Amino acid sequence: MGGADATQAVRSGAAGAEAGQGAQATKRVGVVGASGILGGELLRLLLGDPGLEIEYVSAQSKAGRPATELNPHLKDAGLGDFEAFDAASAAKRCDVVFVATPPETAGRAVPELLDAGAELVIDLSPAYRLRDPERHREWYPDVERDQELAEQAVYGLPELNRAALADARVIAMPGCFATAILLAALPLREIDGITYDAIAVDGKSGSTGSGARLRESGAHTWRANVVAPYAPRGHRHVPEVRQALGEHGVASNGSPPRLGMSTYGVDLVRGLSVGLYSFFEGELDERTLRRAYHRTYRDEHFVRVQVGRGSALPLPDPKAVVGSNFCDVAAFVDQSVGRFVLIAAIDNLVKGGSGQALQACNVALGFPERQGLEALPVFPV
Amino acid sequence: MGGADATQAVRSGAAGAEAGQGAQATKRVGVVGASGILGGELLRLLLGDPGLEIEYVSAQSKAGRPATELNPHLKDAGLGDFEAFDAASAAKRCDVVFVATPPETAGRAVPELLDAGAELVIDLSPAYRLRDPERHREWYPDVERDQELAEQAVYGLPELNRAALADARVIAMPGCFATAILLAALPLREIDGITYDAIAVDGKSGSTGSGARLRESGAHTWRANVVAPYAPRGHRHVPEVRQALGEHGVASNGSPPRLGMSTYGVDLVRGLSVGLYSFFEGELDERTLRRAYHRTYRDEHFVRVQVGRGSALPLPDPKAVVGSNFCDVAAFVDQSVGRFVLIAAIDNLVKGGSGQALQACNVALGFPERQGLEALPVFPV
Amino acid sequence: MGGADATQAVRSGAAGAEAGQGAQATKRVGVVGASGILGGELLRLLLGDPGLEIEYVSAQSKAGRPATELNPHLKDAGLGDFEAFDAASAAKRCDVVFVATPPETAGRAVPELLDAGAELVIDLSPAYRLRDPERHREWYPDVERDQELAEQAVYGLPELNRAALADARVIAMPGCFATAILLAALPLREIDGITYDAIAVDGKSGSTGSGARLRESGAHTWRANVVAPYAPRGHRHVPEVRQALGEHGVASNGSPPRLGMSTYGVDLVRGLSVGLYSFFEGELDERTLRRAYHRTYRDEHFVRVQVGRGSALPLPDPKAVVGSNFCDVAAFVDQSVGRFVLIAAIDNLVKGGSGQALQACNVALGFPERQGLEALPVFPV
Amino acid sequence: MGGADATQAVRSGAAGAEAGQGAQATKRVGVVGASGILGGELLRLLLGDPGLEIEYVSAQSKAGRPATELNPHLKDAGLGDFEAFDAASAAKRCDVVFVATPPETAGRAVPELLDAGAELVIDLSPAYRLRDPERHREWYPDVERDQELAEQAVYGLPELNRAALADARVIAMPGCFATAILLAALPLREIDGITYDAIAVDGKSGSTGSGARLRESGAHTWRANVVAPYAPRGHRHVPEVRQALGEHGVASNGSPPRLGMSTYGVDLVRGLSVGLYSFFEGELDERTLRRAYHRTYRDEHFVRVQVGRGSALPLPDPKAVVGSNFCDVAAFVDQSVGRFVLIAAIDNLVKGGSGQALQACNVALGFPERQGLEALPVFPV
């Protein structure tokens, strides 16, 4: 495909940037499953990334069709036609391969790519997220995968697993909701003096959270102006959150809290918000809670702690992060009943998907972590 | 004002209906504070109500201006100009007076109307909802009111207080969120064998929930495409919910649950959804829980229990109740962690406001409860 | 099916209304193609209509499935399951049959129903709109129909064809855009002293204008936040507008104007707006133009002439007619270049579809024209 | 203010880019009127621009308040507080000053800045767009300005006036609608063999097109779900379009066409679309028309000619250009009546405002025209 050439053309304006990066050479990357929504977003980000060069773009069901067919915004950006998936070709031509297919496909594609010699595979699907094979079977009964790889895969939340990413061969990117929940909950590690045994999570998502598959419930006529409950008993991102909370020591009195989650579709295309609610025993003031957030995220560029003052949109809102890799978080205490409230908002396609995959890729390659991810939010949209 | 005459003209098509009601005479009603959003909605409903006749429409700040100025949809419906508020005139001309002003005004207007001889005053504001004077001062410090009336006022949720409404002189209509939460929670009275000590509530509201006052955060540019947290530590409808749950015996092990609530603005004009989440000890299966809902609402026309099957919008969603007085509810059990999930959706201006006020009025007057409220939801919008 | 019984239950509150209509008996109606969006809207309106009784509801592809499956808002309204289409049964059980199928089906269903003895068939599809067989073949090449019936069919715009409707056996309901354009243009008949040889029409439509068929371009992810041109060279409602303008004498200097139309999808579910722009020679002041509108629509309940004053939504806007059968129109003169501007807005599913079908039905049956159509717009939505 | 320092911090990731630009030094810029919507967008773009350094940010009514107060998306981006406007300080500290105030303020601020020694002032308001003083008084009666400067000012549409921009001291940036209309109409210069005497323009705009001033009609409750006509008799961007068409030779048979425009608010925050409709005499096929577009824009990076194939959003739609400086255009011929249709879509805040101002600035400074404007559209939003 013409991806490489075209990309060079597109990047002529950024040529200086590349030259200016000093000794760091650009890496060649491939995107498998590029006709989906996360795939399209990845192409957008890669076309603007001075450190990565698009070399390979495949989409099994659209092979031979122009990559702009589902990505009208990328018109004239230099993309060619989708290729059919070929593990050997991808592995040979690319330094890094991103897999943005459904998990049923990714479960097989990841080992095929590694067997064909790929050095680094970054899987955006849930195929390799759950280490425990029973848990995996419970939540993804139709997803066959290589269990050994699942145990090696690094869970790609850089704020949590930065060190481990450096040596990764397979990175299993977190789900969009899981990213927001984990970044909201992580500072709880620093809170002492209270006990809480359960956290209720309420998640709200835009329509891109459901992927590109056609469904009646996804038609504009049905999907606009809704607050549509789905997965009320529990969303499939719950087990990966439990796994990560357990591994990273978010616990009250030594045991991880019960975690339950219910989700809603709201009238957004892009964006996601989570609220975490927990009733506690003991004493906790809001200032103490917030300090834990500031401490945890002091050096994290992509996590912004909101304090609810000085702006017309003073709290985490997906509207204020559109197109960017930021995760906005805030924390409150409702003293009347002993309840803490944690809120996080992200762009589900960037920090909740393709942007975070680039961030993890940068860490794994030893690139500056923010490279290709400097875009400020487009606001208001 | 020309309301009465005009209304007659408007109702010529419904004249047969009135005649057909048998002996029941129509009652004359007034709307105080008719320039607000709830006031406009009340006018719409009253214009279509065969049992009630609009006799008096006031709006202090818009006196002398046409009532359609803020109600373009009511063009040519026969409304005249807004009057200035005059308690004596309203009391004399009307059988029932609805007060749809801000609570600061309603606190004084309600006793003035009664003193002037009004037989029934229905207050849509929060001025008379909280019986306990301390609680009232805590949440509404700027709202002066007549404490004695506050103790007599009937909380106007017909599904809860039908009997008491028959003798009411003052009806304090519930808040929009409170209506949805209480209808979601009420069947818990019938659940045995579990203990739960807290309920977390997550509320999502359209922009009409914030009234008509101009604010930057309410401008379309800022308010569209949001999931905007507000009142994260607790919404002011919480104390009235606690009061009603306590009075009506929703309790676990004899004590009312802790209740915490956080709310969000979503990109809806009209509509509201609440999720209630509670972790329990003991055994509860979903079928048992649902039976409690079906039993509680078997004879309630306006509460529809959803079971999540057989439709593209199978669960409570404000989209499926637009313009109607329905409250849709559903209940689930997440067995993985012992959590129950209760969801309710209403049109905040109808069942959460003006429609429920008509329903309470019908009960108080001995009219058929559904009179004027038969409209099916307009769908899809 | 249980429609009749159920409907009786639903209508118990309206029983007085029926009794009050004097001698007028209710008529039994059927809806063929009730699983589409216009079909669902027709069911909603019929359930609230005191003069018509639902007796038959069919949907070929959904036969045996509950009618609420695609109509969640009608839950508990007493509808049973969809039947398979059977012309004999429909004709026998119903006084009036509405056909809300795609035109390919309607082309055949209409004569079948008449052959089976139906007295009145009201076709919401475009199958019988264009009298001229060549024009029909040009715009609807796949729609076979009975040409003789096409010549008998009455074009069902009551404001244009009231007299002819009284004797109709087949009523061909206008397209949604055609309704708005014709009501905007009709008063031009009364304008003298200018010549104009062309009218450019710009149409904007919500997503329900495209029907219920699943398409990528109709997915919320793609369809939200658009101004999406479609049919830029000419919309298929153009020929029926030309036919009606010609037959009803809208002409400049004796010859009908050239008419060109381009259409856009906008981010609305329900609603439609048209702008008609024409450059003229001669003298025309706005007051004269508006007088023509007031004269034309003085006695038309469903057409409201807007003059752009005294309201926050002072001009025709689909937002101000949601759920109602109103068509709002306004007319302006741009003196700087000799241009007149006509604007009309409707709810495409009511005045642009199912509501107007009821209106035409009422006229044909000799019922009060507004019966079942008294609902005021739900505003704001 | 801390803008400069902060910006350096923010730009550390782009340092290589700056270094890589060869000898080109960055220029220091100021933004006057930075609390408005165009001002905020300008700050966003400047923060990502490797060639320009923010040195001065003023907002008279918000002086002393943090610049992020109205720009929540720019949190932590290194902006300080707004300064009060001071022409001398701005002129001294900056190489280029952007004026993004209302025109009443800009009319005076532009000459003050030049008098104080500013080398280049770029005015985003309409104060200096209309050269003819009578035309200016007619459309902007409240805007006092320096008429001499108005005659020197270069109309800042780079695709039209690239050469003149090189020597500009004052650049008057086009209105958002004017930009789209002119880019749609410009290729008509290359069309022979037809005559057309008038063009009707229909414009659709998101809510950011109306600026940040609070108004009832701009509240979400009122502004969502509309197709709201405004300025039906003619929009104030019409005279600048006429001026530019006249100066640049878009004419039929030697005389410029009559141009009339009507505009609508649609439910978009960001984005704008225009349709131009004209009936012609003579022969024109679509292929010929499109060739003129391809020829005109072959070398224009920011204008993309759409041909309506191969994508789910195949025609110019504001959705496909969000956050980018692209203008998408398409042209059609409706042979049935001899009508051509030109459609253009832009992001009103970027190509219709702040982005185009940067583009013009780049041309004036001799910088690469695309510098700081490489961002691809964020899609889908």
Coordinates of all heavy atoms in Angstrom, one line a residue, chain C residues 199 202 204 221-222 224-225 227-229 232-233 242 258 261-262 264 268 277 279-281 286 316-317 319 334 337 339 381, chain D residues 199 202 204 221-222 224-225 227-229 232-233 258 261-262 264 268 277 279-281 286 316-317 319 334 337-339:
Chain C
I199 N -37.4 29.0 -8.1 CA -37.4 28.9 -6.6 C -36.4 27.9 -6.2 O -36.4 26.7 -6.7 CB -38.8 28.5 -6.0 CG1 -39.8 29.6 -6.4 CG2 -38.7 28.4 -4.5 CD1 -41.2 29.3 -5.9
D202 N -34.0 24.7 0.0 CA -33.0 24.1 0.9 C -33.8 23.4 2.0 O -34.5 24.0 2.7 CB -32.1 25.2 1.4 CG -30.9 24.6 2.2 OD1 -31.2 24.0 3.3 OD2 -29.8 24.7 1.8
K204 N -33.9 20.7 5.4 CA -33.1 20.2 6.5 C -34.0 19.2 7.2 O -35.1 19.5 7.6 CB -32.7 21.3 7.5 CG -31.8 22.4 6.8 CD -32.4 23.8 7.0 CE -31.7 24.8 6.2 NZ -32.6 25.6 5.3
T221 N -23.0 7.4 15.7 CA -21.6 7.8 15.6 C -21.3 8.7 14.4 O -20.5 9.6 14.4 CB -20.7 6.5 15.6 OG1 -20.7 6.0 16.9 CG2 -19.3 6.8 15.2
W222 N -22.0 8.4 13.3 CA -21.8 9.1 12.0 C -22.8 10.2 11.9 O -22.6 11.2 11.2 CB -21.9 8.1 10.8 CG -20.8 7.2 10.8 CD1 -20.7 6.0 11.4 CD2 -19.6 7.3 10.0 NE1 -19.6 5.4 11.1 CE2 -18.9 6.1 10.2 CE3 -19.1 8.3 9.1 CZ2 -17.6 6.0 9.6 CZ3 -17.9 8.1 8.5 CH2 -17.1 6.9 8.8
A224 N -24.7 12.0 14.2 CA -24.8 13.1 15.2 C -23.8 14.2 14.8 O -22.8 13.9 14.1 CB -24.4 12.6 16.6
N225 N -24.2 15.4 15.1 CA -23.4 16.6 14.8 C -23.0 16.8 13.4 O -21.9 17.2 13.0 CB -22.1 16.5 15.6 CG -22.3 16.6 17.1 OD1 -23.1 17.4 17.6 ND2 -21.6 15.8 17.9
V227 N -24.1 18.3 9.3 CA -24.9 19.0 8.4 C -24.5 18.2 7.1 O -23.6 18.6 6.3 CB -24.6 20.5 8.2 CG1 -25.6 21.1 7.2 CG2 -24.8 21.2 9.6
A228 N -25.2 17.1 6.8 CA -24.8 16.2 5.8 C -25.7 16.3 4.5 O -26.8 16.0 4.5 CB -25.0 14.7 6.4
P229 N -25.1 16.8 3.5 CA -25.8 17.0 2.2 C -26.2 15.6 1.7 O -25.4 14.6 1.7 CB -24.8 17.6 1.3 CG -23.6 18.1 2.1 CD -23.6 17.2 3.3
P232 N -28.1 16.4 -3.4 CA -27.9 17.8 -3.7 C -28.5 18.2 -5.0 O -28.8 19.4 -5.2 CB -26.3 17.9 -3.7 CG -25.9 16.5 -3.9 CD -26.9 15.6 -3.3
R233 N -28.6 17.3 -6.0 CA -29.1 17.7 -7.3 C -30.6 17.7 -7.4 O -31.1 18.2 -8.3 CB -28.6 16.7 -8.4 CG -27.1 16.6 -8.5 CD -26.7 15.6 -9.6 NE -25.3 15.3 -9.5 CZ -24.8 14.4 -8.6 NH1 -25.6 13.7 -7.8 NH2 -23.5 14.1 -8.6
R242 N -43.9 19.9 -7.9 CA -44.2 20.6 -9.2 C -45.6 20.2 -9.7 O -46.4 21.1 -10.2 CB -43.2 20.1 -10.2 CG -41.8 20.6 -10.1 CD -40.9 20.1 -11.2 NE -39.5 20.5 -10.9 CZ -38.4 19.8 -11.2 NH1 -38.6 18.6 -11.7 NH2 -37.2 20.3 -10.9
R258 N -39.4 27.4 -12.2 CA -38.4 26.3 -12.1 C -38.2 26.0 -10.6 O -38.2 27.0 -9.8 CB -37.1 26.7 -12.7 CG -37.1 26.8 -14.2 CD -36.1 27.8 -14.6 NE -34.8 27.3 -14.9 CZ -33.8 28.1 -15.2 NH1 -33.9 29.5 -15.3 NH2 -32.6 27.6 -15.5
M261 N -34.1 21.7 -5.6 CA -34.1 21.4 -4.2 C -32.8 20.6 -3.8 O -32.5 19.7 -4.5 CB -35.3 20.6 -3.8 CG -35.4 20.3 -2.3 SD -36.9 19.3 -2.0 CE -36.8 19.3 -0.2
S262 N -32.2 21.0 -2.7 CA -31.1 20.3 -2.2 C -31.4 20.1 -0.7 O -31.9 20.9 0.0 CB -29.8 21.1 -2.3 OG -29.5 21.3 -3.7
Y264 N -30.4 18.3 3.3 CA -29.3 18.1 4.3 C -29.9 17.3 5.5 O -31.0 17.6 6.0 CB -28.8 19.4 4.8 CG -28.2 20.3 3.8 CD1 -29.0 21.0 2.9 CD2 -26.8 20.3 3.6 CE1 -28.5 21.8 1.9 CE2 -26.3 21.1 2.5 CZ -27.1 21.8 1.7 OH -26.6 22.6 0.7
L268 N -31.1 16.2 14.3 CA -32.4 16.2 14.9 C -32.9 14.8 14.8 O -32.6 14.1 13.8 CB -33.4 17.0 14.1 CG -33.5 18.5 14.3 CD1 -34.6 19.0 13.4 CD2 -33.9 18.8 15.7
Y277 N -36.2 30.2 -1.7 CA -35.6 31.5 -2.0 C -35.9 31.8 -3.5 O -35.6 30.9 -4.4 CB -34.1 31.4 -1.8 CG -33.8 30.8 -0.4 CD1 -33.1 29.6 -0.2 CD2 -34.2 31.5 0.7 CE1 -32.8 29.1 1.0 CE2 -34.0 31.0 2.0 CZ -33.3 29.8 2.1 OH -33.0 29.3 3.4
F279 N -35.6 35.1 -6.5 CA -35.3 36.5 -6.9 C -36.4 36.9 -7.8 O -36.7 36.2 -8.7 CB -33.9 36.5 -7.6 CG -32.8 36.2 -6.6 CD1 -32.4 34.9 -6.4 CD2 -32.1 37.2 -5.9 CE1 -31.3 34.6 -5.6 CE2 -31.1 36.9 -5.1 CZ -30.7 35.6 -4.9
F280 N -36.9 38.1 -7.6 CA -38.0 38.5 -8.4 C -37.7 39.9 -9.1 O -36.8 40.6 -8.7 CB -39.3 38.6 -7.6 CG -39.2 39.6 -6.4 CD1 -39.5 41.0 -6.6 CD2 -39.0 39.1 -5.1 CE1 -39.4 41.9 -5.5 CE2 -38.9 40.0 -4.1 CZ -39.1 41.4 -4.3
E281 N -38.5 40.1 -10.1 CA -38.5 41.5 -10.8 C -39.8 42.1 -10.4 O -40.9 41.4 -10.3 CB -38.4 41.3 -12.3 CG -37.2 40.5 -12.8 CD -35.9 41.2 -12.4 OE1 -35.8 42.4 -12.3 OE2 -34.9 40.4 -12.3
E286 N -42.9 43.5 2.2 CA -43.1 42.3 3.1 C -44.5 42.3 3.6 O -45.1 41.2 3.8 CB -42.0 42.4 4.2 CG -41.9 41.1 4.9 CD -40.6 41.1 5.8 OE1 -39.5 41.0 5.3 OE2 -40.8 41.3 7.0
P316 N -40.4 30.0 12.3 CA -40.7 28.6 12.2 C -39.5 27.7 12.5 O -38.4 27.8 11.9 CB -41.1 28.4 10.7 CG -41.6 29.8 10.3 CD -40.7 30.7 11.0
D317 N -39.7 26.8 13.4 CA -38.6 26.0 13.9 C -39.2 24.6 14.3 O -40.2 24.6 15.0 CB -37.9 26.6 15.1 CG -36.6 26.0 15.5 OD1 -36.5 24.7 15.5 OD2 -35.7 26.7 15.8
K319 N -38.4 22.7 16.4 CA -38.5 22.6 17.8 C -39.8 23.0 18.4 O -40.2 22.5 19.5 CB -37.3 23.4 18.4 CG -37.2 23.2 20.0 CD -36.0 24.1 20.5 CE -35.8 24.0 21.9 NZ -34.9 23.0 22.3
D334 N -36.3 40.4 1.1 CA -34.9 41.0 1.1 C -34.9 42.0 0.0 O -34.7 41.7 -1.2 CB -33.9 39.9 0.9 CG -32.5 40.4 0.6 OD1 -32.2 41.6 0.7 OD2 -31.6 39.5 0.4
V337 N -31.9 42.9 -2.9 CA -31.7 42.3 -4.2 C -32.9 41.8 -4.8 O -32.9 41.1 -5.8 CB -30.7 41.1 -4.0 CG1 -29.3 41.6 -3.8 CG2 -31.1 40.1 -2.9
R339 N -35.6 39.7 -3.4 CA -35.6 38.3 -3.1 C -36.7 38.0 -2.1 O -36.8 38.8 -1.1 CB -34.3 37.8 -2.5 CG -34.2 36.3 -2.2 CD -32.8 36.0 -1.7 NE -32.5 36.6 -0.5 CZ -32.3 36.0 0.7 NH1 -32.3 34.6 0.7 NH2 -32.0 36.6 1.8
V381 N -38.0 20.3 23.9 CA -37.5 19.0 23.9 C -36.1 19.1 23.3 O -35.9 19.8 22.3 CB -38.3 18.0 23.0 CG1 -37.6 16.7 22.9 CG2 -39.7 17.8 23.6
Chain D
I199 N -27.5 34.3 -7.1 CA -27.2 33.1 -6.2 C -27.9 33.3 -4.9 O -27.8 34.3 -4.2 CB -25.6 33.1 -6.0 CG1 -24.9 33.0 -7.3 CG2 -25.3 31.9 -5.1 CD1 -23.3 32.9 -7.2
D202 N -27.9 29.6 1.5 CA -28.5 29.1 2.7 C -27.3 28.7 3.6 O -26.5 27.8 3.3 CB -29.4 27.9 2.4 CG -30.2 27.4 3.6 OD1 -29.5 26.9 4.6 OD2 -31.4 27.5 3.6
K204 N -25.9 27.4 7.5 CA -26.3 26.7 8.8 C -25.1 26.8 9.7 O -24.0 26.5 9.3 CB -26.6 25.3 8.5 CG -27.8 25.0 7.5 CD -27.4 24.2 6.3 CE -28.4 24.1 5.2 NZ -27.9 24.6 3.9
T221 N -31.4 24.8 26.7 CA -32.8 24.5 26.7 C -33.5 24.9 25.4 O -34.4 24.3 24.9 CB -33.5 25.1 27.9 OG1 -33.0 24.3 29.1 CG2 -35.0 25.0 27.9
W222 N -33.1 26.1 24.9 CA -33.8 26.7 23.8 C -33.0 26.4 22.5 O -33.6 26.3 21.4 CB -33.8 28.2 23.9 CG -34.8 28.7 24.9 CD1 -34.5 28.8 26.3 CD2 -36.2 29.0 24.8 NE1 -35.6 29.2 26.9 CE2 -36.6 29.4 26.1 CE3 -37.0 29.1 23.7 CZ2 -38.0 29.8 26.3 CZ3 -38.3 29.5 23.9 CH2 -38.8 29.8 25.2
A224 N -30.9 23.7 21.7 CA -30.7 22.4 21.3 C -31.9 21.9 20.4 O -33.0 22.4 20.6 CB -30.6 21.4 22.5
N225 N -31.6 21.1 19.5 CA -32.7 20.5 18.6 C -33.4 21.5 17.8 O -34.6 21.4 17.6 CB -33.6 19.7 19.5 CG -33.0 18.4 20.1 OD1 -32.2 17.8 19.4 ND2 -33.3 18.2 21.3
V227 N -33.8 24.1 14.2 CA -33.3 24.6 13.0 C -33.9 26.1 13.0 O -35.1 26.3 12.6 CB -33.9 23.9 11.8 CG1 -33.4 24.5 10.5 CG2 -33.4 22.4 11.8
A228 N -33.2 27.0 13.6 CA -33.7 28.3 14.0 C -33.3 29.4 13.0 O -32.1 29.7 12.9 CB -33.1 28.6 15.4
P229 N -34.2 29.8 12.2 CA -33.9 30.9 11.2 C -33.5 32.2 12.0 O -34.0 32.5 13.0 CB -35.2 31.2 10.5 CG -36.1 30.0 10.9 CD -35.7 29.5 12.2
P232 N -33.2 36.2 8.2 CA -33.7 35.6 7.0 C -33.6 36.5 5.8 O -33.4 36.0 4.7 CB -35.2 35.3 7.3 CG -35.5 36.2 8.5 CD -34.2 36.3 9.3
R233 N -33.6 37.8 6.0 CA -33.6 38.8 4.9 C -32.1 39.0 4.4 O -31.9 39.6 3.4 CB -34.2 40.1 5.3 CG -35.6 40.0 5.7 CD -36.1 41.4 6.1 NE -37.4 41.3 6.8 CZ -37.5 41.0 8.1 NH1 -36.4 40.9 8.9 NH2 -38.7 40.9 8.7
R258 N -26.6 38.9 -8.4 CA -27.3 39.2 -7.2 C -27.0 38.1 -6.1 O -27.0 36.9 -6.5 CB -28.8 39.3 -7.4 CG -29.2 40.5 -8.3 CD -30.4 40.1 -9.1 NE -31.7 40.4 -8.4 CZ -32.9 40.0 -9.0 NH1 -33.0 39.4 -10.1 NH2 -34.0 40.4 -8.3
M261 N -28.9 35.9 1.1 CA -28.5 34.9 2.0 C -29.5 34.8 3.2 O -29.9 35.8 3.7 CB -27.1 35.2 2.5 CG -26.6 34.2 3.6 SD -24.9 34.7 4.0 CE -24.4 33.3 5.0
S262 N -29.8 33.6 3.6 CA -30.6 33.4 4.8 C -29.9 32.4 5.7 O -29.3 31.4 5.1 CB -32.0 32.9 4.5 OG -32.7 33.8 3.7
Y264 N -29.4 29.9 9.5 CA -30.1 29.1 10.4 C -29.1 28.6 11.5 O -28.0 28.3 11.2 CB -30.7 27.8 9.8 CG -31.7 28.1 8.7 CD1 -31.3 28.5 7.4 CD2 -33.1 28.1 8.9 CE1 -32.2 28.8 6.4 CE2 -34.0 28.4 7.9 CZ -33.5 28.8 6.7 OH -34.4 29.1 5.7
L268 N -25.4 22.2 16.5 CA -24.0 22.0 16.5 C -23.3 23.0 17.4 O -23.8 24.1 17.5 CB -23.4 22.3 15.1 CG -23.4 21.3 14.0 CD1 -22.7 22.0 12.8 CD2 -22.7 20.1 14.4
Y277 N -27.1 28.2 -4.4 CA -28.0 27.7 -5.5 C -28.2 28.8 -6.5 O -28.5 29.9 -6.2 CB -29.3 27.3 -4.9 CG -29.1 26.5 -3.6 CD1 -29.6 26.9 -2.4 CD2 -28.5 25.2 -3.7 CE1 -29.4 26.1 -1.2 CE2 -28.3 24.4 -2.6 CZ -28.8 24.9 -1.3 OH -28.6 24.1 -0.2
F279 N -29.8 29.3 -10.7 CA -30.4 28.8 -11.9 C -29.6 29.5 -13.1 O -29.4 30.7 -13.0 CB -31.9 29.1 -11.9 CG -32.6 28.4 -10.9 CD1 -32.7 28.9 -9.6 CD2 -33.2 27.1 -11.1 CE1 -33.4 28.2 -8.6 CE2 -33.9 26.5 -10.2 CZ -34.0 27.0 -8.9
F280 N -29.3 28.7 -14.1 CA -28.5 29.3 -15.2 C -29.1 29.1 -16.5 O -30.0 28.2 -16.7 CB -27.0 28.8 -15.2 CG -26.9 27.3 -15.3 CD1 -27.0 26.7 -16.6 CD2 -26.8 26.5 -14.2 CE1 -26.9 25.3 -16.8 CE2 -26.6 25.1 -14.4 CZ -26.7 24.5 -15.7
E281 N -28.7 29.9 -17.5 CA -29.1 29.6 -18.9 C -27.8 29.2 -19.6 O -26.8 29.7 -19.3 CB -29.6 30.9 -19.5 CG -30.8 31.6 -18.8 CD -32.0 30.8 -18.8 OE1 -32.2 30.0 -19.7 OE2 -32.8 30.9 -17.8
E286 N -21.7 18.7 -15.1 CA -21.1 18.6 -13.8 C -19.6 18.4 -13.9 O -18.8 18.9 -13.1 CB -21.8 17.5 -13.0 CG -21.5 17.6 -11.5 CD -22.5 16.7 -10.7 OE1 -23.6 17.0 -10.6 OE2 -22.0 15.6 -10.3
P316 N -19.2 17.6 1.7 CA -18.7 18.6 2.7 C -19.7 18.6 3.9 O -20.9 18.9 3.8 CB -18.7 19.9 1.9 CG -18.6 19.6 0.5 CD -19.3 18.3 0.3
D317 N -19.1 18.3 5.0 CA -19.9 18.3 6.3 C -19.0 18.8 7.4 O -17.8 18.4 7.5 CB -20.2 16.8 6.6 CG -21.3 16.6 7.6 OD1 -21.2 17.4 8.7 OD2 -22.2 15.8 7.5
K319 N -18.8 18.0 10.2 CA -18.4 16.9 11.1 C -17.0 16.4 10.7 O -16.3 15.9 11.5 CB -19.4 15.8 11.0 CG -19.1 14.6 12.0 CD -20.2 13.6 11.8 CE -19.9 12.4 12.7 NZ -20.6 12.5 14.0
D334 N -27.8 20.3 -11.4 CA -29.2 19.7 -11.5 C -29.7 20.0 -12.9 O -30.1 21.1 -13.1 CB -30.0 20.4 -10.4 CG -31.5 20.1 -10.5 OD1 -31.9 19.3 -11.4 OD2 -32.3 20.6 -9.7
V337 N -33.4 21.4 -14.2 CA -33.9 22.8 -14.3 C -32.8 23.8 -14.6 O -33.0 25.0 -14.5 CB -34.6 23.2 -13.0 CG1 -36.0 22.6 -12.8 CG2 -33.7 22.9 -11.7
G338 N -31.6 23.3 -14.9 CA -30.5 24.2 -15.1 C -30.1 24.9 -13.8 O -30.3 26.1 -13.7
R339 N -29.6 24.2 -12.9 CA -29.2 24.8 -11.6 C -27.9 24.2 -11.1 O -27.6 23.0 -11.3 CB -30.3 24.3 -10.5 CG -30.1 24.9 -9.1 CD -31.2 24.5 -8.2 NE -31.3 23.1 -8.0 CZ -31.1 22.5 -6.8 NH1 -30.8 23.2 -5.7 NH2 -31.1 21.2 -6.7

